[in-house]
Amino acid sequence: MDDSEFVLNQSSINPYILNIEYAVRGPIVANAQRIQSELDAGIPKPFTELIWCNIGDCHAMGQKPISFLRQVVALIVDPSLIESDSHYPADVKQRARRILDNGGGLQYSSEMLGLPVIRQDCANYIQDRDGVPCDPDSVILSTGAGEMIKELLQVFARLQPSASTVNGLQYGVMIPIPQYPMYSASITQYNLQSVHYYLDESDNWSLDLSELRRAYDEAVGKCEPRVLVVINPGNPTGQVLRKDVIEDVVRFAKEKNLFILADEVYQHNVYAEGAKFYSFKRALHRLGPEFSTTVQLASLMSASKGYAGECGFRGGYCELLNPDARLQSLLYRQLANRGCPSVAGQAILDVIVNPPKPDEPSFAKHEREKSQVLGDLKLKAQMATETFNSIPGMRCNPVQGAMYAFPSIELPPKLIEEAKAKGMQPDEMYCTALLEEKGVCVVPGSGFGQRPGTYHFRMTILPPVDKLRQVMEQFRDFHQSFVNRFSRSRLIRSASHLSKKTRHNFYKKQLNLRIKMQQASGKVLTLESMNPCVKRLEYAVRGPIVARATQLEKELKSGATKPFSEVIRCNIGDCHAMGQKPITFLRQVIAVLSDPSLMDSDRYPADVKARAKRILEGCGGGSVGAYSASCGVPVIREDCAKYIEARDGIPANPENIFLTSGASEAVKAVLELLATGQEGADQPGVMVPIPQYPLYSASISQYNLQTVPYYLEESDNWSLSQAELRRAYDEAVGKCKPRALVVINPGNPTGQVLRKEIIEDVIRFAKEKNLFILADEVYQHNVYAEGAKFYSFKQVLHGMGDAYFKEMELASFMSASKGYMGECGFRGGYCELVNMDPEVQAMLYKQLSARLCSVVMGQAILDVIMNPPKPDEPSFAEHEREKSQVLGDLKLKAQMATETFNSIPGMRCNPVQGAMYAFPSIELPPKLIEEAKAKGMQPDAMYCTALLEEKGVCVVPGSGFGQRPGTYHFSAYV
């Protein structure tokens, strides 16, 4: 297809995604992957192995998991080990029981902010660290620290600058240079403005207050600085900030009314003598109430770094201090749209913040393993510093903390000229040659930012000591010989500081006025100043009725008297929380992945061990604690492709499949591509079914797209008609530009299963109107009605011939959270792309690289679903029996719900053909409708609230999903 024929092409997708750069997984890393493939294929190279030094991926580099952490997770995954296996110490079992008793296990979808018991443990950890009280309600758990960085920056995003900023200016985010590229990538993605302040290389990458002032003053008039990012210990620079420097930064932030984003994920990684980690929260309190009660701060921590290095589990927290209360509630609304963070990541984080105590049996071993990891890192930090400083033309500041060296390199003018002639950065050319000639993969300093005229690279110190020595020798051998090729002319040394730019007095006056107004309110972020798209976001499944249900549960626990003894939650498709049992085979494989020592146990069958072995061999360092490739572990993508091929009878290419932390992440990534920032008649429109899953309307609001609702036909069992699609499309034209069509099959919340001929009609309509199809097929295993059958959009496309199958653009979504497995807490999903413009697909994959990777345990649970036991394997019979039991029970309950609702006067419910929900209509008297409107409520919301308050049953009003005017419904999980 010609580029202009694609619905999504480089000229029509979100322009900010086009500009994202993420050096840690950039072109040099892609080149390294190609070289690795060639080595694997036996193609001769000047080296026998490729040494990866580009990323802080601890386990992939050979670091061993901490036994206590993995043992606890293994018991949570397979609770039968708690009672039957004497291999595990008592404190391991106690930690596992505590998490299971207070959260129900990794299979559950947790509360949107994380499991309360784990938030409490994080608060205790912070309090012990700082000697300052910490409220667990201020702690938000996340799928890695990167998720919260992006969520916080998105709150600041100004999608409509003329309407939301002073004098039409973008909001600015002050970031250190050099910086971690996730910040610059996310700032670009959300259309914010980077404000660079330079770290002082001559003073061991310290942070100078005068440099902050210079950067701030020069930014005024070009943008409105709102956020100050500080990374401590530093990435990529390895410095550990002194207490007095941090306090100076806090004073500056208060003076300029800046929100501090403190990236403290390396707080356990401090090696230099005399250096000590000092948190920003502690600094706030040391400076007194004037600071501790007013300065807004977000502090980030991660399970991926420190001595744990559990990158693949994707666990992190953010402590949020002094936020505007209204803003905090709106941020929580945005977070609700992600579902919940990985529960496996939450669990691994919990064991990090709540390690063994001195009187517990695992303490000695845990301390020994921890000391070994940190001691090795200290030794390697010294080795890297000393070696680089011994090579002529290199200089490296001491690696005081974190996991990286960031040496400067002197390059001759001829090399610099040649690099520029090739359209390359000089240090990129250097790093490319190092890779091609020595097989060492590092990242050029230009990917992190550096002072003009200086050149660097970042190298992780994580490889084992013997491997790191080998790397150092490669550098010693390579550097001078490479430089000498270009001439013996004078080397280019560090450049001078940037020149001062003209002050913009008018804008400064306006900005100072704004600052005074903000200081009067005491907050940087307020309801008036935040991203307006987030204000519009609604997510009914975790909305006000659900919040009230949570409050009622707390009241019941505290002994309050209610007309009921428990709250029955029927609001969300959280299978295991509702009593569904995990599938044994899935959990056994995941238990072995968590604790590979179980490979030696007679407890598990051979096919369980074979699946675990295959997945581990596909993971970096043979560990699920390693980051995967951005799109997922290759062998798991291959298994997804085989599953699709077996399902549809059509070949599937693993390169067109990307793995995600739940299907929701994939849906949002595709929708974000559509967001061009245009308004009015050119604003991109997304056609969504009504009723619909609120993720779609919430994400459409979040990305400033336009919802184009089309109604499902309730009188025809929630069917979909082409006539209704045409009506919706025609009415939208002139108000927006429809570009995508969402279809949910089987339906959520409506439970219908679309017939093949209806899917064909939808495809014809989409082709006629040149619409990109988003096929939400996460309930494909949940089909119960006699005669009903699931047909994938890809399968139907293929059956319609090449005019459709080779041209129609489609994204199909699948999840581990639904079906017979119901593993909501693991956060595993995939998206298959069909006929996407290759250049757009490259942009999408680049965007995904900035989140590093999806939850590896989620990828693993998905793999076992895609690759279940075969008939000749020992686990087959039990797996099939359990699967049939789950689906049989759901079929029975679907029939029961339909029959019961239809037996109640004033209710009518279509048959639940598939998915997991009934969506009955309810007849409400005019007086109730009038009273609800007088109270500013939807009538069905008033009905559902009364049901909750009087009977303790939590369902979701139909108004949260959308419905035809004058009709009322609710959604109940079966």
Side-chain angles (χ1 to χ4, degrees), residues 783-814:
V783 178
Y784 321 119
E786 294 300 325
K789 181 181 178 181
F790 170 74
Y791 289 93
S792 76
F793 267 75
K794 181 181 180 183
Q795 182 183 17
V796 177
L797 268 180
H798 184 264
M800 295 174 73
D802 286 355
Y804 292 89
F805 186 61
K806 291 189 175 179
E807 294 184 14
M808 293 293 297
E809 293 164 68
L810 166 71
S812 167
F813 307 102
M814 172 60 176

mmCIF file of all heavy atoms in Angstrom, residues 783-814:
data_model
loop_
_atom_site.group_PDB
_atom_site.id
_atom_site.type_symbol
_atom_site.label_atom_id
_atom_site.label_comp_id
_atom_site.label_asym_id
_atom_site.label_seq_id
_atom_site.Cartn_x
_atom_site.Cartn_y
_atom_site.Cartn_z
ATOM 1 N N VAL A 783 -17.621 -17.814 25.802
ATOM 2 C CA VAL A 783 -18.815 -17.952 24.963
ATOM 3 C C VAL A 783 -19.642 -19.106 25.521
ATOM 4 O O VAL A 783 -19.120 -20.222 25.657
ATOM 5 C CB VAL A 783 -18.446 -18.207 23.486
ATOM 6 C CG1 VAL A 783 -19.704 -18.393 22.636
ATOM 7 C CG2 VAL A 783 -17.603 -17.053 22.939
ATOM 8 N N TYR A 784 -20.918 -18.831 25.860
ATOM 9 C CA TYR A 784 -21.736 -19.823 26.566
ATOM 10 C C TYR A 784 -22.999 -20.231 25.808
ATOM 11 O O TYR A 784 -23.453 -21.362 25.937
ATOM 12 C CB TYR A 784 -22.170 -19.281 27.937
ATOM 13 C CG TYR A 784 -21.112 -18.480 28.651
ATOM 14 C CD1 TYR A 784 -21.308 -17.151 28.985
ATOM 15 C CD2 TYR A 784 -19.882 -19.067 28.986
ATOM 16 C CE1 TYR A 784 -20.337 -16.420 29.636
ATOM 17 C CE2 TYR A 784 -18.898 -18.340 29.630
ATOM 18 C CZ TYR A 784 -19.132 -17.003 29.949
ATOM 19 O OH TYR A 784 -18.171 -16.284 30.578
ATOM 20 N N ALA A 785 -23.601 -19.302 25.068
ATOM 21 C CA ALA A 785 -24.923 -19.546 24.485
ATOM 22 C C ALA A 785 -24.861 -20.626 23.402
ATOM 23 O O ALA A 785 -23.885 -20.709 22.635
ATOM 24 C CB ALA A 785 -25.489 -18.251 23.907
ATOM 25 N N GLU A 786 -25.904 -21.436 23.369
ATOM 26 C CA GLU A 786 -25.996 -22.461 22.333
ATOM 27 C C GLU A 786 -25.979 -21.801 20.949
ATOM 28 O O GLU A 786 -26.719 -20.848 20.700
ATOM 29 C CB GLU A 786 -27.284 -23.263 22.510
ATOM 30 C CG GLU A 786 -27.344 -24.102 23.778
ATOM 31 C CD GLU A 786 -26.234 -25.136 23.865
ATOM 32 O OE1 GLU A 786 -25.854 -25.674 22.804
ATOM 33 O OE2 GLU A 786 -25.725 -25.364 24.983
ATOM 34 N N GLY A 787 -25.148 -22.297 20.061
ATOM 35 C CA GLY A 787 -25.072 -21.777 18.700
ATOM 36 C C GLY A 787 -24.174 -20.579 18.535
ATOM 37 O O GLY A 787 -23.849 -20.199 17.398
ATOM 38 N N ALA A 788 -23.766 -19.958 19.637
ATOM 39 C CA ALA A 788 -22.872 -18.796 19.555
ATOM 40 C C ALA A 788 -21.430 -19.275 19.354
ATOM 41 O O ALA A 788 -21.033 -20.320 19.868
ATOM 42 C CB ALA A 788 -22.970 -17.935 20.803
ATOM 43 N N LYS A 789 -20.662 -18.500 18.607
ATOM 44 C CA LYS A 789 -19.272 -18.853 18.344
ATOM 45 C C LYS A 789 -18.455 -17.579 18.188
ATOM 46 O O LYS A 789 -18.917 -16.609 17.600
ATOM 47 C CB LYS A 789 -19.186 -19.686 17.061
ATOM 48 C CG LYS A 789 -17.766 -20.140 16.707
ATOM 49 C CD LYS A 789 -17.743 -20.947 15.415
ATOM 50 C CE LYS A 789 -16.305 -21.341 15.056
ATOM 51 N NZ LYS A 789 -16.233 -22.105 13.782
ATOM 52 N N PHE A 790 -17.233 -17.622 18.712
ATOM 53 C CA PHE A 790 -16.346 -16.463 18.562
ATOM 54 C C PHE A 790 -15.657 -16.511 17.200
ATOM 55 O O PHE A 790 -15.077 -17.533 16.819
ATOM 56 C CB PHE A 790 -15.287 -16.428 19.661
ATOM 57 C CG PHE A 790 -14.222 -15.395 19.411
ATOM 58 C CD1 PHE A 790 -14.487 -14.048 19.596
ATOM 59 C CD2 PHE A 790 -12.967 -15.765 18.938
ATOM 60 C CE1 PHE A 790 -13.519 -13.081 19.334
ATOM 61 C CE2 PHE A 790 -11.993 -14.811 18.678
ATOM 62 C CZ PHE A 790 -12.271 -13.468 18.872
ATOM 63 N N TYR A 791 -15.748 -15.396 16.469
ATOM 64 C CA TYR A 791 -14.997 -15.190 15.235
ATOM 65 C C TYR A 791 -14.103 -13.973 15.428
ATOM 66 O O TYR A 791 -14.583 -12.891 15.788
ATOM 67 C CB TYR A 791 -15.935 -14.920 14.050
ATOM 68 C CG TYR A 791 -16.723 -16.112 13.588
ATOM 69 C CD1 TYR A 791 -18.001 -16.348 14.087
ATOM 70 C CD2 TYR A 791 -16.198 -16.999 12.653
ATOM 71 C CE1 TYR A 791 -18.745 -17.451 13.660
ATOM 72 C CE2 TYR A 791 -16.924 -18.104 12.222
ATOM 73 C CZ TYR A 791 -18.198 -18.323 12.737
ATOM 74 O OH TYR A 791 -18.920 -19.405 12.317
ATOM 75 N N SER A 792 -12.803 -14.148 15.185
ATOM 76 C CA SER A 792 -11.911 -12.999 15.281
ATOM 77 C C SER A 792 -12.075 -12.111 14.054
ATOM 78 O O SER A 792 -12.428 -12.590 12.964
ATOM 79 C CB SER A 792 -10.459 -13.452 15.409
ATOM 80 O OG SER A 792 -9.960 -13.890 14.160
ATOM 81 N N PHE A 793 -11.802 -10.820 14.220
ATOM 82 C CA PHE A 793 -11.854 -9.910 13.073
ATOM 83 C C PHE A 793 -10.813 -10.289 12.027
ATOM 84 O O PHE A 793 -11.054 -10.164 10.827
ATOM 85 C CB PHE A 793 -11.668 -8.462 13.543
ATOM 86 C CG PHE A 793 -12.964 -7.758 13.816
ATOM 87 C CD1 PHE A 793 -13.702 -8.045 14.955
ATOM 88 C CD2 PHE A 793 -13.477 -6.842 12.913
ATOM 89 C CE1 PHE A 793 -14.907 -7.419 15.202
ATOM 90 C CE2 PHE A 793 -14.685 -6.215 13.148
ATOM 91 C CZ PHE A 793 -15.406 -6.499 14.294
ATOM 92 N N LYS A 794 -9.667 -10.764 12.482
ATOM 93 C CA LYS A 794 -8.629 -11.156 11.520
ATOM 94 C C LYS A 794 -9.101 -12.331 10.669
ATOM 95 O O LYS A 794 -8.908 -12.346 9.447
ATOM 96 C CB LYS A 794 -7.343 -11.525 12.256
ATOM 97 C CG LYS A 794 -6.210 -11.915 11.316
ATOM 98 C CD LYS A 794 -4.952 -12.309 12.074
ATOM 99 C CE LYS A 794 -3.839 -12.698 11.119
ATOM 100 N NZ LYS A 794 -2.627 -13.162 11.825
ATOM 101 N N GLN A 795 -9.737 -13.306 11.297
ATOM 102 C CA GLN A 795 -10.229 -14.473 10.572
ATOM 103 C C GLN A 795 -11.290 -14.082 9.543
ATOM 104 O O GLN A 795 -11.271 -14.553 8.394
ATOM 105 C CB GLN A 795 -10.813 -15.479 11.571
ATOM 106 C CG GLN A 795 -11.309 -16.762 10.950
ATOM 107 C CD GLN A 795 -11.944 -17.685 11.978
ATOM 108 O OE1 GLN A 795 -12.288 -17.267 13.075
ATOM 109 N NE2 GLN A 795 -12.108 -18.952 11.625
ATOM 110 N N VAL A 796 -12.189 -13.181 9.941
ATOM 111 C CA VAL A 796 -13.243 -12.756 9.027
ATOM 112 C C VAL A 796 -12.653 -11.919 7.893
ATOM 113 O O VAL A 796 -13.044 -12.061 6.725
ATOM 114 C CB VAL A 796 -14.352 -11.992 9.782
ATOM 115 C CG1 VAL A 796 -15.419 -11.483 8.816
ATOM 116 C CG2 VAL A 796 -14.986 -12.889 10.843
ATOM 117 N N LEU A 797 -11.702 -11.043 8.215
ATOM 118 C CA LEU A 797 -11.005 -10.275 7.171
ATOM 119 C C LEU A 797 -10.440 -11.202 6.103
ATOM 120 O O LEU A 797 -10.590 -10.974 4.906
ATOM 121 C CB LEU A 797 -9.852 -9.477 7.797
ATOM 122 C CG LEU A 797 -10.044 -8.060 8.273
ATOM 123 C CD1 LEU A 797 -8.730 -7.529 8.834
ATOM 124 C CD2 LEU A 797 -10.529 -7.151 7.152
ATOM 125 N N HIS A 798 -9.770 -12.246 6.550
ATOM 126 C CA HIS A 798 -9.127 -13.181 5.631
ATOM 127 C C HIS A 798 -10.158 -13.843 4.730
ATOM 128 O O HIS A 798 -9.938 -14.015 3.514
ATOM 129 C CB HIS A 798 -8.346 -14.232 6.418
ATOM 130 C CG HIS A 798 -7.581 -15.189 5.569
ATOM 131 N ND1 HIS A 798 -8.065 -16.423 5.210
ATOM 132 C CD2 HIS A 798 -6.360 -15.076 4.978
ATOM 133 C CE1 HIS A 798 -7.187 -17.044 4.447
ATOM 134 N NE2 HIS A 798 -6.134 -16.258 4.299
ATOM 135 N N GLY A 799 -11.298 -14.187 5.312
ATOM 136 C CA GLY A 799 -12.331 -14.841 4.532
ATOM 137 C C GLY A 799 -12.985 -13.949 3.501
ATOM 138 O O GLY A 799 -13.647 -14.436 2.570
ATOM 139 N N MET A 800 -12.806 -12.637 3.610
ATOM 140 C CA MET A 800 -13.430 -11.692 2.674
ATOM 141 C C MET A 800 -12.538 -11.398 1.468
ATOM 142 O O MET A 800 -12.908 -10.598 0.609
ATOM 143 C CB MET A 800 -13.791 -10.399 3.409
ATOM 144 C CG MET A 800 -14.870 -10.603 4.479
ATOM 145 S SD MET A 800 -15.192 -9.139 5.482
ATOM 146 C CE MET A 800 -16.066 -8.105 4.297
ATOM 147 N N GLY A 801 -11.356 -11.992 1.417
ATOM 148 C CA GLY A 801 -10.499 -11.834 0.251
ATOM 149 C C GLY A 801 -9.429 -10.773 0.423
ATOM 150 O O GLY A 801 -9.425 -9.989 1.382
ATOM 151 N N ASP A 802 -8.510 -10.744 -0.544
ATOM 152 C CA ASP A 802 -7.333 -9.872 -0.452
ATOM 153 C C ASP A 802 -7.685 -8.392 -0.402
ATOM 154 O O ASP A 802 -6.944 -7.600 0.195
ATOM 155 C CB ASP A 802 -6.395 -10.130 -1.635
ATOM 156 C CG ASP A 802 -5.650 -11.450 -1.496
ATOM 157 O OD1 ASP A 802 -5.796 -12.097 -0.436
ATOM 158 O OD2 ASP A 802 -4.927 -11.821 -2.443
ATOM 159 N N ALA A 803 -8.778 -7.999 -1.030
ATOM 160 C CA ALA A 803 -9.150 -6.578 -1.029
ATOM 161 C C ALA A 803 -9.360 -6.073 0.393
ATOM 162 O O ALA A 803 -9.219 -4.881 0.666
ATOM 163 C CB ALA A 803 -10.420 -6.362 -1.853
ATOM 164 N N TYR A 804 -9.702 -6.982 1.286
ATOM 165 C CA TYR A 804 -9.868 -6.626 2.696
ATOM 166 C C TYR A 804 -8.653 -7.048 3.518
ATOM 167 O O TYR A 804 -8.086 -6.263 4.283
ATOM 168 C CB TYR A 804 -11.138 -7.280 3.263
ATOM 169 C CG TYR A 804 -12.413 -6.725 2.675
ATOM 170 C CD1 TYR A 804 -12.970 -7.267 1.524
ATOM 171 C CD2 TYR A 804 -13.051 -5.635 3.264
ATOM 172 C CE1 TYR A 804 -14.128 -6.750 0.972
ATOM 173 C CE2 TYR A 804 -14.220 -5.110 2.732
ATOM 174 C CZ TYR A 804 -14.749 -5.671 1.583
ATOM 175 O OH TYR A 804 -15.903 -5.142 1.045
ATOM 176 N N PHE A 805 -8.259 -8.315 3.353
ATOM 177 C CA PHE A 805 -7.246 -8.876 4.240
ATOM 178 C C PHE A 805 -5.875 -8.228 4.050
ATOM 179 O O PHE A 805 -5.082 -8.166 4.982
ATOM 180 C CB PHE A 805 -7.135 -10.386 4.008
ATOM 181 C CG PHE A 805 -6.205 -11.072 4.973
ATOM 182 C CD1 PHE A 805 -6.456 -11.053 6.335
ATOM 183 C CD2 PHE A 805 -5.072 -11.736 4.521
ATOM 184 C CE1 PHE A 805 -5.606 -11.681 7.229
ATOM 185 C CE2 PHE A 805 -4.212 -12.359 5.406
ATOM 186 C CZ PHE A 805 -4.486 -12.334 6.762
ATOM 187 N N LYS A 806 -5.589 -7.738 2.857
ATOM 188 C CA LYS A 806 -4.266 -7.152 2.617
ATOM 189 C C LYS A 806 -4.269 -5.630 2.747
ATOM 190 O O LYS A 806 -3.231 -5.002 2.573
ATOM 191 C CB LYS A 806 -3.754 -7.559 1.231
ATOM 192 C CG LYS A 806 -3.415 -9.039 1.139
ATOM 193 C CD LYS A 806 -2.717 -9.384 -0.163
ATOM 194 C CE LYS A 806 -2.284 -10.850 -0.178
ATOM 195 N NZ LYS A 806 -1.609 -11.223 -1.444
ATOM 196 N N GLU A 807 -5.430 -5.052 3.068
ATOM 197 C CA GLU A 807 -5.510 -3.583 3.122
ATOM 198 C C GLU A 807 -6.061 -3.038 4.433
ATOM 199 O O GLU A 807 -5.606 -1.995 4.888
ATOM 200 C CB GLU A 807 -6.379 -3.080 1.959
ATOM 201 C CG GLU A 807 -5.774 -3.338 0.588
ATOM 202 C CD GLU A 807 -6.618 -2.753 -0.532
ATOM 203 O OE1 GLU A 807 -7.509 -1.927 -0.239
ATOM 204 O OE2 GLU A 807 -6.395 -3.119 -1.700
ATOM 205 N N MET A 808 -7.018 -3.706 5.040
ATOM 206 C CA MET A 808 -7.673 -3.146 6.226
ATOM 207 C C MET A 808 -6.713 -3.109 7.415
ATOM 208 O O MET A 808 -6.037 -4.094 7.717
ATOM 209 C CB MET A 808 -8.902 -3.973 6.599
ATOM 210 C CG MET A 808 -10.030 -3.897 5.590
ATOM 211 S SD MET A 808 -10.770 -2.253 5.530
ATOM 212 C CE MET A 808 -11.403 -2.122 7.186
ATOM 213 N N GLU A 809 -6.684 -1.970 8.100
ATOM 214 C CA GLU A 809 -5.817 -1.797 9.267
ATOM 215 C C GLU A 809 -6.585 -2.194 10.522
ATOM 216 O O GLU A 809 -7.699 -1.722 10.762
ATOM 217 C CB GLU A 809 -5.341 -0.352 9.359
ATOM 218 C CG GLU A 809 -4.421 0.035 8.216
ATOM 219 C CD GLU A 809 -4.258 1.541 8.079
ATOM 220 O OE1 GLU A 809 -3.642 2.158 8.971
ATOM 221 O OE2 GLU A 809 -4.766 2.101 7.093
ATOM 222 N N LEU A 810 -5.952 -3.040 11.328
ATOM 223 C CA LEU A 810 -6.625 -3.655 12.473
ATOM 224 C C LEU A 810 -5.656 -3.813 13.631
ATOM 225 O O LEU A 810 -4.491 -4.170 13.425
ATOM 226 C CB LEU A 810 -7.167 -5.030 12.048
ATOM 227 C CG LEU A 810 -7.626 -6.000 13.148
ATOM 228 C CD1 LEU A 810 -8.923 -5.517 13.784
ATOM 229 C CD2 LEU A 810 -7.812 -7.407 12.571
ATOM 230 N N ALA A 811 -6.151 -3.559 14.839
ATOM 231 C CA ALA A 811 -5.432 -3.924 16.062
ATOM 232 C C ALA A 811 -6.358 -4.817 16.871
ATOM 233 O O ALA A 811 -7.494 -4.441 17.166
ATOM 234 C CB ALA A 811 -5.037 -2.691 16.864
ATOM 235 N N SER A 812 -5.897 -6.008 17.198
ATOM 236 C CA SER A 812 -6.690 -6.973 17.959
ATOM 237 C C SER A 812 -6.068 -7.156 19.332
ATOM 238 O O SER A 812 -4.848 -7.335 19.450
ATOM 239 C CB SER A 812 -6.731 -8.311 17.215
ATOM 240 O OG SER A 812 -7.216 -9.336 18.047
ATOM 241 N N PHE A 813 -6.909 -7.143 20.381
ATOM 242 C CA PHE A 813 -6.420 -7.174 21.761
ATOM 243 C C PHE A 813 -6.857 -8.451 22.474
ATOM 244 O O PHE A 813 -7.990 -8.909 22.328
ATOM 245 C CB PHE A 813 -6.944 -5.958 22.528
ATOM 246 C CG PHE A 813 -6.652 -4.649 21.847
ATOM 247 C CD1 PHE A 813 -7.641 -3.990 21.141
ATOM 248 C CD2 PHE A 813 -5.382 -4.099 21.888
ATOM 249 C CE1 PHE A 813 -7.387 -2.798 20.494
ATOM 250 C CE2 PHE A 813 -5.108 -2.906 21.238
ATOM 251 C CZ PHE A 813 -6.116 -2.249 20.543
ATOM 252 N N MET A 814 -5.944 -8.986 23.280
ATOM 253 C CA MET A 814 -6.206 -10.194 24.061
ATOM 254 C C MET A 814 -5.595 -10.010 25.451
ATOM 255 O O MET A 814 -4.599 -9.281 25.598
ATOM 256 C CB MET A 814 -5.609 -11.410 23.352
ATOM 257 C CG MET A 814 -5.631 -12.712 24.132
ATOM 258 S SD MET A 814 -7.289 -13.247 24.573
ATOM 259 C CE MET A 814 -6.929 -14.817 25.352
#
